Amino acid sequence: MQIDKLAIFRVCNPIKTPYTTAFGTANAFNSILVKLDNGKYEGWGEAAPMGFPGFSSETDVTAFHIGGKFLSQLIIGKDISSGNELQKIFMSVKGNSFAKGAFDMAWWDLNARMQKIPIKNAIGGTKEKVSAGYTLGVMQDIDSLLERIQVLMDSGYPRIKLKYCPGWDLDMVRSVRSAFPDLIMHIDCNSAYTLDDIDMFKKLDKYNLAMIEQPLMNDDLIDHAFLQKQIATPICLDESISSPTKARQAMQIKACRFINIKHGRVGGITNSLKIHNICQDSGVPCWIGAMCESALGVTFSMNLATLPNVKYPSDITPSAKFYERNLCKPIPDNPKPGLFIPSEEHGIGVVPDSEMLKKTTLDQFELLAN
Ligand SMILES: [Mg+2]
């Protein structure tokens, strides 16, 4: 299909309460939205690399810049027949996976709308329902955390993920495990540690965590492989898996026993599918992670979670957790919290609310084919 027109929006949507992780505290979530138009249909994508380059080297500002100055120019007026073809065109631009990811998602949405099929069918999803856990950031004290977990358990969430960083670490896990002996839970270190902390990771083995997510540096595989040999708890890689190549290498050196796939981190849906298949062929299960996207990006995550090798509850953030008003119509967790049913609408099935888009847009770029 030919890309006749495209637009990029850099948006900032305030959140209800500050959200603290190993990267610091956020009061609003920034992302870029990409709209691709072939003259008859529109496809939308979103990437949320954060406003601060803590998760990766990208931010919403760099993604907007790279998208407008380079990626847009490479595809405008072109006839692009597959996600692989799009990724091939983008290969001349190194890195910048989030920026590429927003375009790639928009291509998949546009393609599915043209074919008049739901995105789940376009990507080969096999599940009718999707299971999602809940993530808790650093809280003011342990008692508040325990109270919150009890509420979430009572609501029916199948697992809890706890952000983990210096000062909110072993004592926190010990308290949670003591209060909830049977809780399925894991921790996410967001690259906050090094091999100097190996004794601390060994101590975590006795708390029966489902996994330890990204304990070491954001682009490392080798140290993770070393750590995995020293501890019984499975390692899950997030930040380190920035491409299908990195996933293949992680499998080769046994750097992890789970991979969390985030469409933005890996450059979109095309590469998410490749990583899913690499893991499946290696017998390593996946689950779908999340940045701080609006309901648009979250809906892509939910559809990725219908893939067959997704075998742990994913991070599909309920809209009410963060936003007073979402950029898109939020996905309901239905019939209960932690359970989602993908839409049968064509494409991704959601588009940004025009009033909210106008209200939250900080920068806008448009390009027309000659
Ligand atoms: Mg993570």
Side-chain angles (χ1 to χ4, degrees):
M1 62 202 171
Q2 183 160 312
I3 309 301
D4 289 336
K5 192 160 86 171
L6 62 83
I8 312 173
F9 304 84
R10 186 169 76 86
V11 298
C12 179
N13 199 6
I15 54 176
K16 289 194 285 194
T17 51
Y19 185 58
T20 300
T21 67
F23 307 127
T25 299
N27 296 298
F29 291 157
N30 298 48
S31 65
I32 66 160
L33 305 186
V34 169
K35 179 172 72 170
L36 299 182
D37 188 325
N38 72 346
K40 194 167 179 192
Y41 295 96
E42 292 175 358
W44 284 88
E46 177 180 18
M50 298 181 21
F52 173 80
F55 179 85
S56 75
S57 56
E58 293 182 77
T59 68
D60 58 312
V61 174
T62 69
F64 182 80
H65 169 70
I66 295 290
K69 187 161 177 68
F70 303 106
L71 303 178
S72 296
Q73 319 297 328
L74 289 170
I75 63 167
I76 193 69
K78 293 252 174 76
D79 189 3
I80 301 169
S81 61
S82 69
N84 280 333
E85 190 179 341
L86 181 73
Q87 292 289 335
K88 214 169 173 181
I89 293 169
F90 283 167
M91 273 178 72
S92 59
V93 175
K94 299 295 179 280
N96 293 286
S97 297
F98 280 96
K100 291 175 182 175
F103 284 81
D104 184 275
M105 292 155 79
W107 183 91
W108 278 89
D109 181 25
L110 179 55
N111 182 56
R113 286 180 196 272
M114 279 177 60
Q115 291 188 56
K116 302 189 186 327
I117 57 172
I119 197 89
K120 182 188 129 182
N121 296 13
I123 65 174
T126 55
K127 296 176 192 156
E128 296 302 320
K129 292 175 186 169
V130 163
S131 173
Y134 202 96
T135 302
L136 290 170
V138 177
M139 296 180 73
Q140 56 188 13
D141 53 49
I142 298 288
D143 286 345
S144 308
L145 174 67
L146 298 180
E147 275 173 36
R148 189 79 185 105
I149 292 174
Q150 186 63 59
V151 170
L152 294 167
M153 291 296 91
D154 293 344
S155 305
Y157 280 98
R159 64 92 173 141
I160 296 292
K161 161 171 158 176
L162 301 164
K163 291 290 184 180
Y164 187 96
C165 57
W168 188 253
D169 42 34
L170 270 177
D171 285 345
M172 180 273 290
V173 168
R174 187 182 302 119
S175 303
V176 174
R177 183 49 86 208
S178 168
F180 302 97
D182 301 321
L183 173 67
I184 298 174
M185 65 175 186
H186 81 268
I187 58 169
D188 184 3
C189 304
N190 285 120
S191 316
Y193 296 93
T194 70
L195 286 180
D196 290 343
D197 302 297
I198 201 158
D199 288 341
M200 183 271 293
F201 288 115
K202 285 180 178 174
K203 284 178 191 162
L204 281 168
D205 270 344
K206 67 179 171 193
Y207 296 112
N208 191 27
L209 298 173
M211 65 192 78
I212 299 173
E213 190 178 333
Q214 195 68 36
L216 308 177
M217 278 299 286
N218 67 300
D219 59 353
D220 170 76
L221 295 178
I222 292 171
D223 284 356
H224 281 100
F226 179 80
L227 178 62
Q228 183 65 92
K229 285 193 186 79
Q230 307 296 313
I231 61 175
T233 310
I235 288 176
C236 171
L237 288 180
D238 177 351
E239 284 92 328
S240 288
I241 306 300
S242 50
S243 65
T245 300
K246 284 291 195 100
R248 177 180 56 75
Q249 291 169 342
M251 298 298 105
Q252 279 177 352
I253 66 169
K254 299 188 180 352
C256 60
R257 294 183 195 153
F258 281 91
I259 281 185
N260 144 357
I261 300 174
K262 289 181 179 169
H263 44 61
R265 188 194 72 220
V266 306
I269 301 303
T270 306
N271 286 345
S272 295
L273 298 176
K274 285 183 185 170
I275 292 170
H276 169 273
N277 294 344
I278 288 167
C279 291
Q280 190 170 37
D281 291 347
S282 302
V284 168
C286 302
W287 52 281
I288 307 303
M291 298 300 292
C292 297
E293 296 102 345
S294 75
L296 177 65
V298 170
T299 308
F300 277 98
S301 302
M302 180 179 62
N303 280 278
L304 283 172
T306 64
L307 295 170
N309 194 43
V310 173
K311 294 181 174 172
Y312 184 74
S314 293
D315 280 343
I316 298 165
T317 316
S319 182
K321 177 178 177 183
F322 289 128
Y323 298 111
E324 291 291 353
R325 192 169 163 197
N326 208 306
L327 256 169
C328 305
K329 190 179 167 198
I331 316 152
D333 35 1
N334 185 16
K336 64 171 188 172
L339 198 61
F340 292 89
I341 299 174
S343 155
E344 290 298 318
E345 289 182 52
H346 298 162
I348 194 63
V350 293
V351 291
D353 176 281
S354 53
E355 190 191 320
M356 275 300 285
L357 185 59
K358 198 171 171 189
K359 199 171 155 188
T360 57
T361 294
L362 302 175
D363 286 310
Q364 188 171 344
F365 170 87
E366 285 188 9
L367 191 60
L368 288 168
N370 290 326

